């Protein structure tokens, strides 16, 4: 069985006057453990595609099968539970909770999964160490740099040991050197934990660090480079 199958996805955004056809029949297969980049200019449909893969939005047409299961057939509550257990999200703007420390931010998904306090703390500490933040666990987001905040977000996405991590332009707000460091951490973690990683970018240096690159143009997959 394929890990992830994306079949003929279409997404049309409608408002009163206009219709935007953001995805026009995207099909893609991704194996377990792959480290894939969705590459494309602004407006090409990257965020839409990642949101649909993660079940954050519904397509106008098409399916997403994760280990053979059509995620859009589930009830909202089942999908929410599945997301919490199996999918980690990393965003361009980090999306940390400002009033919580780094440690509490990483503990948060474990709290939602009802993991007990002692284990929660130990796991959160372990993952913050893995991303190189052992000394900064008690700082709040405002006391961390952008790159450090994104490391917290990576630890938070991975602490539940999800099957799939979706990262939407994770380096877009970082300088190039910090961005490359973030890519190295994501790649190391994906190898260590055998997690499937799908990220989007339009930064050439970031794109080069992917093992597989899918080019998205105007809602259509143009071509694939799969040389590495
Ligand atoms: N919520 C929305 N309502 C209307 N149009 C949208 C919405 N989200 C995205 N779009 C449009 O869909 C297209 C693809 O957007 P998006 O998926 O955000 O691309 P990217 O992430 O590659 O910049 C764009 O033309 C964008 O303006
Ligand atoms: Mg986007």
């Amino acid at each position: 069985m394929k890990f992830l199958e994306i079949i003929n996805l279409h997404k049309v955004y409608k408002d009163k006057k206009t219709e935007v056809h953001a995805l026009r029949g995207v099909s893609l297969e991704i194996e377990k453990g792959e480290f894939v980049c969705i590459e494309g200019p602004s407006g090409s449909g990257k965020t839409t595609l990642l949101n649909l893969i993660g079940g954050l939005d519904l397509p106008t047409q098409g399916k997403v099968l994760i280990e053979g299961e059509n995620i859009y057939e589930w009830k909202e509550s089942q999908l929410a539970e599945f997301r919490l257990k199996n999918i980690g999200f990393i965003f361009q703007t980090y999306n940390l909770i400002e009033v919580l420390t780094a440690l509490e931010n990483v503990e948060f998904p474990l709290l939602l999964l009802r993991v007990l306090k002692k284990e929660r703390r130990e796991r959160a500490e372990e993952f913050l160490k893995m991303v190189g933040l052992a000394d900064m666990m008690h700082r709040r987001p405002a006391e961390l740099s952008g790159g450090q905040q994104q490391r917290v977000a990576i630890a938070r996405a991975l602490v539940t040991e999800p099957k799939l991590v979706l990262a939407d332009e994770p380096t877009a707000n970082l300088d190039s050197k910090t961005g490359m460091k973030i890519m190295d951490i994501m790649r190391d973690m994906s190898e260590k934990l055998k997690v499937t990683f799908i990220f989007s970018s339009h930064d050439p240096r970031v794109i080069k660090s992917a093992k597989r690159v899918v080019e998205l143009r105007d809602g259509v997959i143009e071509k694939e480079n799969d040389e590495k």
Side-chain angles (χ1 to χ4, degrees), residues 72-151:
Y72 305 132
E73 281 174 355
W74 295 339
K75 284 187 293 191
E76 184 53 41
S77 59
Q78 282 177 304
L79 184 56
E81 176 88 7
F82 178 84
R83 268 199 309 259
L84 186 59
K85 287 187 177 149
N86 299 294
I87 305 182
F89 292 92
I90 298 169
F91 303 92
Q92 183 176 331
T93 49
Y94 328 127
N95 292 18
L96 301 176
I97 302 173
E98 291 295 324
V99 295
L100 301 182
T101 64
L103 186 61
E104 290 162 346
N105 266 285
V106 179
E107 275 186 56
F108 195 69
L110 299 174
L111 183 73
L112 297 178
L113 287 168
R114 298 187 189 81
V115 175
L116 295 178
K117 186 168 176 100
K118 184 167 178 285
E119 191 189 337
R120 228 160 57 209
R121 184 119 309 183
E122 283 168 7
R123 284 194 24 209
E125 283 176 1
E126 180 195 340
F127 277 78
L128 280 165
K129 279 178 195 151
M130 274 194 243
V131 297
L133 289 181
D135 302 334
M136 298 184 191
M137 293 194 201
H138 301 291
R139 291 199 195 178
R140 295 207 165 81
E143 298 158 341
L144 297 167
S145 70
Q148 289 163 348
Q149 288 185 60
Q150 195 61 303
R151 291 189 203 202

Side-chain angles (χ1 to χ4, degrees), residues 11-15 18-23 40-51 57 168-169 200 202 216 218-219:
K11 180 69 181 181
V12 181
Y13 293 107
K14 286 193 188 116
D15 59 29
T18 53
E19 274 194 0
V20 179
H21 210 145
L23 296 180
S42 178
S44 57
K46 303 182 296 298
T47 298
T48 303
L49 179 57
L50 290 175
N51 287 347
D57 198 2
D168 192 10
E169 302 207 43
S200 67
H202 57 247
L216 195 60
D218 275 328

Side-chain angles (χ1 to χ4, degrees), residues 154-200:
I154 293 170
R156 178 183 58 181
L158 286 157
V159 75
T160 56
E161 299 189 29
K163 292 176 177 160
L164 175 63
V165 173
L166 301 172
D168 192 10
E169 302 207 43
T171 64
N173 288 325
L174 303 172
D175 63 78
S176 169
K177 194 168 152 238
T178 309
M180 290 318 292
K181 184 85 190 136
I182 289 293
M183 290 315 302
D184 290 345
I185 292 170
M186 294 204 322
R187 194 166 170 157
D188 283 353
M189 302 277 274
S190 87
E191 278 166 14
K192 200 178 293 167
L193 302 166
K194 312 235 181 316
V195 187
T196 309
F197 243 91
I198 308 175
F199 63 98
S200 67

